[in-house]
Amino acid sequence: MLEAHDAWRADPVLYAQQALGQDVDWWLPRSMAEVMSRSSARLAVKGCNSGGKTHMAACLVQWWVDCGLGRAVTTAPTAPQVHGLLWRQLARIRRGREGVVGGRLLVSSCRLEGAPGCYAYGRSTDQGVRFRGEHADEDAALLVVLDEANGIRDDVTAELDGIAAGGDVRILMLGNPDDASGSFHDAFAEDSDRWETLTVDAFSTPNFECWPTPDALRAADPAELDARSMRPYLAMPTWARQRYEERKWRDDDPWIQSRVRGRFPGRASGHLFSVETLDAAAARPAHDVGGAVRAGLDIAGEGRDETSYHVVCIGNGSILDSWHSPAKDAFFEATARLKSHWGGRLEEVVYDATGIGQLAWQTLEDAGFDLVQYHAGGSPELADPEDGRACVNAKAEMYQAFADRLDDGRVAGLEDRLTRAQLAGVRYHRDSRLRLVIDSKRIADPSRPSPSPDRGESLMMAYYRQGQRWTVLA
């Protein structure tokens, strides 16, 4: 057991460099360390093969034990995965460092022992009940690492929610984004407001610094690809080139998307919006090109709903402003903010005229806004399109059009995590006439009812226009 070292305890990257001799000074290890240093952290990391996520997780488990933070438990769907992935990395990293870090590593039983009360162990499980009894102590925290998390059953992750209810429990999930379903996917989708998330694209790792895109990799001289100094634990450019060549350089190939780009391939079953298109809209910066703007306003009803508005630039569709509040008088504040911040440029305010919205028109009109009423249950303007994309009502048509806009890359500045989480949780089905029907949140998952997607709907309404439901913004 190493002597107490405040600098190492405060900085897992510094610990990994000095105590373990690891080259971890790049964006992913720094980001993982920064999040997992916080009390009650929840972090989900999806990424390419050999993207560095398991390597840094092995460093974090050792940091946890060696610096005396408490107990750690790691798991994976099968025993060979427990032994052959994270604990194999841990043993390799620790080899030859015993004189610096001390402790006792029992490789065959996947156990690392430090000071009294500080230890880590690994086990496989397919039953959430096996985690019952795990908890943080008053003077010691608990670290839980789920490797290959895309293969771990939902009841295991559900059990962890109960464990995390008390004390300092930190949870780290790692995996390849092979399957757009389950708890691992949900951490990047409808539950993303409860998780910090990171995505590791092979092209964002240090070994690809000279070839940051598929086009650059394709144009490179094969003899030069692995000639430069490389981090051996990360994916190699030659490997990525071979995989692309096998798939005719199709970047949209599902295997390439998951194992090279670190992306979920396609939408989750029954979900209207994909994690990847929402993340792309968040990464795409908004630009105010001047001129008129349009606002979408969703007015809160009873319960846990929020009053929310979004303002978009008509010239290019960028999101320029958003505001949300659950306060009872939030509608009046929203009206005042829109008038003071955007009054000179505001072309239209689109608002939900059903329910409580029926009482709002006079206040909005008195504020001098040009109003467009949106009726969710109204008839769709494209009631029976030839392409078979019929919608049951105006709400379904608005949602489908926004999904199309996301797929086309015509949304920028979608930075609010809760807005993205609400949209990622939207589910749908087809009725007997094959029309699109948007499920209510309670119907979509009765075990996890939640308030209506107010933020998401105010954003979608910002693109609505009277006489042309789906405004074609640049």
Side-chain angles (χ1 to χ4, degrees):
M1 174 64 185
L2 56 83
E3 296 296 320
H5 196 307
D6 292 341
W8 287 355
R9 186 183 177 102
D11 187 348
V13 168
L14 185 66
Y15 160 83
Q17 291 174 314
Q18 296 183 353
L20 301 178
Q22 296 301 298
D23 183 6
V24 292
D25 190 19
W26 58 286
W27 74 265
L28 177 66
R30 287 196 300 268
S31 298
M32 291 176 65
E34 192 277 327
V35 174
M36 297 310 296
S37 296
R38 304 176 200 157
S39 178
S40 303
R42 286 176 175 239
L43 174 62
V45 186
K46 64 180 173 72
C48 61
N49 285 2
S50 299
K53 50 192 184 296
T54 300
H55 177 267
M56 187 57 191
C59 293
L60 286 169
V61 170
Q62 295 175 81
W63 164 74
W64 192 264
V65 174
D66 290 340
C67 292
L69 278 81
R71 295 176 293 114
V73 55
T74 80
T75 190
T78 68
Q81 288 173 320
V82 173
H83 285 263
L85 296 174
L86 189 147
W87 282 88
R88 181 182 179 185
Q89 287 266 21
L90 192 152
R92 181 190 62 78
I93 292 169
R94 205 169 182 86
R95 191 176 301 122
R97 308 299 296 184
E98 294 84 357
V100 179
V101 296
R104 182 186 182 202
L105 175 61
L106 307 173
V107 177
S108 61
S109 56
C110 295
R111 186 176 179 90
L112 174 64
E113 297 177 346
C118 296
Y119 59 87
Y121 68 95
R123 69 179 180 194
S124 62
T125 182
D126 59 358
Q127 296 179 331
V129 293
R130 293 190 62 189
F131 278 95
R132 290 180 184 171
E134 296 286 359
H135 57 83
D137 297 325
E138 184 176 345
D139 57 349
L142 174 67
L143 171 66
V144 181
V145 180
L146 293 83
D147 204 3
E148 296 297 310
N150 52 308
I152 292 176
R153 286 176 32 162
D154 289 352
D155 67 315
V156 174
T157 52
E159 190 67 35
L160 293 178
D161 281 335
I163 295 171
D168 181 3
V169 178
R170 308 182 201 182
I171 304 174
L172 173 61
M173 289 203 297
L174 316 166
N176 296 117
D178 296 325
D179 185 9
S181 64
S183 298
F184 184 59
H185 170 269
D186 290 348
F188 297 87
E190 57 209 82
D191 293 337
S192 60
D193 57 320
R194 300 194 299 125
W195 290 84
E196 296 286 341
T197 60
L198 296 170
T199 296
V200 190
D201 185 330
F203 292 99
S204 71
T205 62
N207 287 356
F208 287 76
E209 185 177 2
C210 296
W211 309 281
T213 66
D215 288 342
L217 184 66
R218 187 174 190 176
D221 181 348
E224 296 181 358
L225 288 181
D226 292 341
R228 299 174 183 271
S229 177
M230 298 285 177
R231 287 172 168 84
Y233 63 88
L234 294 178
M236 295 293 182
T238 295
W239 166 82
R241 185 185 175 100
Q242 290 170 348
R243 302 293 83 77
Y244 267 101
E245 287 174 343
E246 292 168 359
R247 291 159 177 81
K248 310 300 182 185
W249 288 94
R250 287 186 54 217
D251 197 49
D252 61 350
D253 178 88
W255 194 94
I256 291 290
Q257 284 288 297
S258 172
R259 297 308 182 101
V260 180
R261 307 308 304 269
R263 302 169 180 169
F264 288 107
R267 291 181 174 87
S269 177
H271 288 248
L272 190 61
F273 305 107
S274 77
V275 170
E276 305 308 334
T277 57
L278 290 167
D279 286 349
R284 203 174 292 121
H287 295 288
D288 187 353
V289 297
V293 298
R294 182 180 300 120
L297 174 63
D298 191 83
I299 305 166
E302 297 296 327
R304 295 180 293 165
D305 294 351
E306 290 182 311
T307 291
S308 169
Y309 74 67
H310 280 84
V311 175
V312 299
C313 179
I314 292 178
N316 63 3
S318 290
I319 301 167
L320 302 183
D321 186 20
S322 64
W323 182 84
H324 329 279
S325 173
K328 289 185 178 180
D329 59 350
F331 164 62
F332 299 101
E333 184 174 353
T335 302
R337 288 175 63 92
L338 282 172
K339 186 171 183 178
S340 63
H341 293 181
W342 300 101
R345 297 175 58 187
L346 195 55
E347 180 180 274
E348 294 172 333
V349 175
V350 186
Y351 73 104
D352 187 350
T354 58
I356 196 170
Q358 299 178 65
L359 308 176
W361 71 270
Q362 188 65 62
T363 300
L364 294 171
E365 190 172 77
D366 290 345
F369 299 144
D370 288 332
L371 303 178
V372 176
Q373 293 186 345
Y374 159 67
H375 297 272
S379 298
E381 294 197 358
L382 302 178
D384 190 19
E386 294 181 359
D387 63 4
R389 289 152 61 85
C391 299
V392 69
N393 53 22
K395 176 178 180 176
E397 198 170 62
M398 181 174 76
Y399 276 62
Q400 178 63 70
F402 190 73
D404 293 343
R405 173 175 288 278
L406 284 171
D407 290 345
D408 293 341
R410 293 185 293 123
V411 178
L414 184 48
E415 298 177 353
D416 182 62
R417 290 177 58 191
L418 183 53
T419 302
R420 297 200 304 274
Q422 290 179 357
L423 292 169
V426 171
R427 302 191 185 192
Y428 73 93
H429 68 274
R430 299 280 178 179
D431 67 10
S432 60
R433 295 169 57 186
L434 300 182
R435 296 177 301 179
L436 180 73
V437 180
I438 303 301
D439 296 337
S440 73
K441 295 284 282 197
R442 188 176 294 274
I443 292 173
D445 189 346
S447 67
R448 295 163 57 193
S450 58
S452 62
D454 307 306
R455 300 189 185 191
E457 291 202 335
S458 72
L459 175 59
M460 289 184 282
M461 280 190 284
Y463 295 98
Y464 169 102
R465 190 172 188 177
Q466 190 174 25
Q468 183 186 353
R469 192 177 302 284
W470 316 133
T471 305
V472 181
L473 301 180

